[in-house]
Amino acid sequence: FVECEIDAVKTNDSFSALKQAIGNLQETVAHLTEIAKFSRYNKEELKELNLYDFAVKALYNVKSLAKNSDCTIDNKIDKGLFVMGIEAYLDSVLLNLLTNAIKYKAENRDSHIILSTQLEKNYVVLSVKDNGLGVDLKVYGDKMFSLYKTFHKNKDSRGVGLFITKNQIEALGGKIEVKSEVGVGTEFLVYMKHSKHFTKQH
């Protein structure tokens, strides 16, 4: 490649900008390719998944992150609730929402996250509620789940997580809603189709 053959090219501003643009485009294509997979799963992949058990696993995976952020998390999910889903999707949704809640904590108070559930018609509704920075939904509400949109200055923010989360949930016939108030906190409500036997003995 020309970059390897001509050292002067490496310091050229236009070339550097082009290289960055190509890198960004490749990353975008990779993300969109991943999203496209969500609508192509086989029905055989859908399983009855215990929401509480998946939350326990997700909490274990974010344990160190939560500890480093002095964040406490309460798992109040009903142990008998089963949803129809794909294991990898549910893992991803829980991890994205938890890491977001931990990452965007308020500095003037202890961070606290509550996971809870309720039933609404054909859905199990998962609530992930925090007391973090919050978002002005009047300004950002229609952009919350857009690709590459971020709402706080955080070096790890890439604006991909919520976009992917929304697509994973909708691919399974569910939906996601958000409630938020600046300086108070944020609550994500994830609607997932419950299994035919949505309450079982744990």
Side-chain angles (χ1 to χ4, degrees):
F1 187 68
V2 67
E3 179 186 6
C4 301
E5 297 175 1
I6 307 174
D7 289 339
V9 169
K10 296 180 183 179
T11 59
N12 184 284
D13 290 341
S14 296
F15 182 82
S16 297
L18 177 60
K19 184 179 178 183
Q20 180 65 46
I22 291 172
N24 291 343
L25 179 60
Q26 289 174 331
E27 184 176 6
T28 299
V29 170
H31 289 149
L32 293 177
T33 300
E34 192 65 27
I35 296 301
K37 295 177 183 177
F38 299 156
S39 60
R40 296 203 303 266
Y41 64 83
N42 296 321
K43 288 186 177 180
E44 290 75 19
E45 293 181 67
L46 286 174
K47 298 179 181 178
E48 292 185 341
L49 306 176
N50 182 273
L51 190 55
Y52 179 86
D53 288 345
F54 274 77
V56 168
K57 182 166 63 172
L59 292 177
Y60 179 81
N61 288 333
V62 300
K63 184 177 180 180
S64 295
L65 181 63
K67 184 177 180 180
N68 291 338
S69 298
D70 295 319
C71 175
T72 58
I73 307 175
D74 290 336
N75 183 2
K76 296 184 177 181
I77 292 174
D78 187 328
K79 294 182 179 181
L81 292 178
F82 283 69
V83 298
M84 295 304 298
I86 294 175
E87 293 178 359
Y89 287 17
L90 189 52
D91 280 336
S92 174
V93 168
L94 287 166
L95 284 174
N96 271 326
L97 293 180
L98 284 171
T99 53
N100 261 10
I102 296 168
K103 193 184 302 181
Y104 300 117
K105 68 174 188 173
E107 296 299 331
N108 61 344
R109 57 181 174 271
D110 292 337
S111 179
H112 188 207
I113 302 168
I114 300 174
L115 302 180
S116 62
T117 46
Q118 63 184 34
L119 295 176
E120 187 172 315
K121 295 183 179 179
N122 296 322
Y123 294 101
V124 170
V125 184
L126 166 68
S127 166
V128 180
K129 187 174 185 178
D130 66 58
N131 65 339
L133 294 173
V135 175
D136 187 343
L137 295 180
K138 291 181 180 178
V139 177
Y140 299 113
D142 61 343
K143 302 180 179 70
M144 280 293 291
F145 301 100
S146 299
L147 184 61
Y148 299 133
K149 292 294 182 182
T150 58
F151 311 99
H152 297 293
K153 293 180 180 179
N154 188 299
K155 63 179 182 178
D156 298 321
S157 299
R158 298 174 66 211
V160 177
L162 288 180
F163 177 73
I164 290 178
T165 293
K166 180 176 184 288
N167 279 270
Q168 287 174 324
I169 294 166
E170 290 181 349
L172 297 173
K175 63 180 179 178
I176 184 169
E177 297 176 350
V178 60
K179 300 176 182 178
S180 192
E181 185 177 345
V182 175
V184 176
T186 299
E187 179 181 20
F188 285 97
L189 297 169
V190 180
Y191 291 70
M192 293 173 281
K193 289 186 175 181
H194 60 61
S195 70
K196 292 180 180 178
H197 306 95
F198 62 91
T199 55
K200 296 183 177 180
Q201 294 299 317
H202 187 73

